[in-house]
Amino acid sequence: MAKSKFEYVKQFESEDKCLPNCWIVIRVDGKSFHRFADVHHFVKPNDDRGLNLMTRAAQCVMDEYKDVVFCYGQSDEYSFVFKKNTNVFNRRGSKIMSNVVSLFTSSYVFYWPRYFNTQAMQYPPAFDGRVVLYPSDKNLRDYLSWRQADCHINNLYNTCFWKLVQERGLTPAQSQERLKGTLSSDKNEILFNEFNLNYNNLPEMYRKGTVIIHQKEKELDSNSLSPLERSPRNSVSFSSQGDYIPRTRVQILHCDIISEKFWTEHPQILDGIKK
């Protein structure tokens, strides 16, 4: 690029390189999503269309950035974990965050018709983002545990809240007052005694959120792959006969990530998937 006398303005750009040897987490969060959900008539307390659309948008991010080794989503948020040694965008925090947020948002809008059919989007959604660095595996796991605990707490409250509104006829203010100061055990008791609902029988997607990881796969013939799996964005190679051989495939889970069991079963996450 040719130099000019105006090039000095680059000196005003701030350096925001992420520290080395740290997990980089980008959390994407819906802006004023309560209003967005109301305007678009989301089912309360959980709308499968909206949750699955969020996950589809997150998959787009994971497909694009192979250094994302773990995604966790609940409600209107998703966290993307980049492996410790990533050098994506030279580890520039603002560059990573802006690219992830913009791709997530555009994917949400692009795939909206697939999940909401003929229901038109009334106005464009907005998502904000932040960059957080975690130096140790324990810090990262505690962060993810915090987000899953938040999912459980919010969903239990919202399940009770909307049951009281939709089936008992309480106003939102009355429902809020009824639940004021209650513990988890109190809410479970309300659901069971008043609505004959065992909270533990609700779908795990509601109670535990959604996990997206790369999972190694055995060789598969090209005829067994969907068009999406044949996409160049997927981690695939070819056998000598020309068949597709996936090295990894994105896997969607709804499970407990707080306990040790998950991390024992998926050691590649903290180790980083070697491409």
Side-chain angles (χ1 to χ4, degrees), residues 26 28 53-71 78-82 88-89 96-108 111 212 214 233 250:
I26 308 296
V28 177
L53 175 56
M54 289 284 293
T55 296
R56 186 66 188 87
Q59 281 183 268
C60 291
V61 174
M62 201 170 198
D63 286 343
E64 179 69 22
Y65 299 107
K66 301 304 182 183
D67 280 1
V68 174
V69 294
F70 188 95
C71 303
Y78 248 97
S79 295
F80 300 90
V81 180
F82 285 79
V88 62
F89 298 120
I96 300 171
M97 180 183 70
S98 59
N99 274 272
V100 168
V101 174
S102 62
L103 178 57
F104 184 93
T105 305
S106 61
S107 299
Y108 188 94
Y111 285 105
I212 311 177
H214 292 291
R233 289 179 178 271
V250 168

Side-chain angles (χ1 to χ4, degrees), residues 16-113:
D16 65 343
K17 204 169 192 179
C18 296
L19 289 171
N21 200 36
C22 289
W23 297 100
I24 300 176
V25 175
I26 308 296
R27 185 160 86 241
V28 177
D29 205 352
K31 179 181 180 294
S32 302
F33 237 65
H34 285 295
R35 175 174 174 263
F36 184 85
D38 288 342
V39 169
H40 292 91
H41 310 294
F42 278 33
V43 177
K44 303 294 181 63
N46 293 290
D47 191 305
D48 287 356
R49 302 168 302 172
L51 293 173
N52 289 326
L53 175 56
M54 289 284 293
T55 296
R56 186 66 188 87
Q59 281 183 268
C60 291
V61 174
M62 201 170 198
D63 286 343
E64 179 69 22
Y65 299 107
K66 301 304 182 183
D67 280 1
V68 174
V69 294
F70 188 95
C71 303
Y72 177 75
Q74 53 127 338
S75 185
D76 63 341
E77 72 169 57
Y78 248 97
S79 295
F80 300 90
V81 180
F82 285 79
K83 61 185 180 181
K84 274 188 170 185
N85 64 348
T86 184
N87 199 38
V88 62
F89 298 120
N90 203 23
R91 294 182 73 89
R92 292 164 56 194
S94 58
K95 192 82 170 178
I96 300 171
M97 180 183 70
S98 59
N99 274 272
V100 168
V101 174
S102 62
L103 178 57
F104 184 93
T105 305
S106 61
S107 299
Y108 188 94
V109 174
F110 182 82
Y111 285 105
W112 173 273

Side-chain angles (χ1 to χ4, degrees), residues 147-206:
R147 301 320 303 146
Q148 187 164 71
D150 184 76
C151 174
H152 162 70
I153 292 168
N154 289 338
N155 187 65
L156 179 57
Y157 179 90
N158 289 333
T159 300
C160 283
F161 180 92
W162 287 107
K163 279 289 184 182
L164 291 169
V165 170
Q166 295 168 349
E167 298 187 23
R168 283 289 180 270
L170 272 63
T171 65
Q174 290 171 330
S175 182
Q176 185 176 19
E177 185 63 28
R178 171 76 189 278
L179 296 175
K180 186 177 181 180
T182 57
L183 303 175
S184 293
S185 57
D186 300 323
K187 298 181 183 70
N188 275 296
E189 187 174 345
I190 290 173
L191 290 174
F192 188 77
N193 291 335
E194 298 189 28
F195 302 100
N196 195 30
L197 174 64
N198 185 333
Y199 179 77
N200 291 326
N201 290 337
L202 290 178
E204 289 188 315
M205 179 170 65
Y206 303 162

Side-chain angles (χ1 to χ4, degrees), residues 115-173:
Y115 294 91
F116 284 83
N117 299 318
T118 58
Q119 182 177 334
M121 185 176 282
Q122 300 301 310
Y123 67 91
F127 294 87
D128 62 43
R130 69 198 70 188
V131 184
V132 189
L133 305 181
Y134 294 104
S136 71
D137 294 354
K138 182 180 185 305
N139 294 152
L140 175 66
R141 285 186 53 181
D142 285 348
Y143 165 78
L144 295 170
S145 296
W146 170 50
R147 301 320 303 146
Q148 187 164 71
D150 184 76
C151 174
H152 162 70
I153 292 168
N154 289 338
N155 187 65
L156 179 57
Y157 179 90
N158 289 333
T159 300
C160 283
F161 180 92
W162 287 107
K163 279 289 184 182
L164 291 169
V165 170
Q166 295 168 349
E167 298 187 23
R168 283 289 180 270
L170 272 63
T171 65

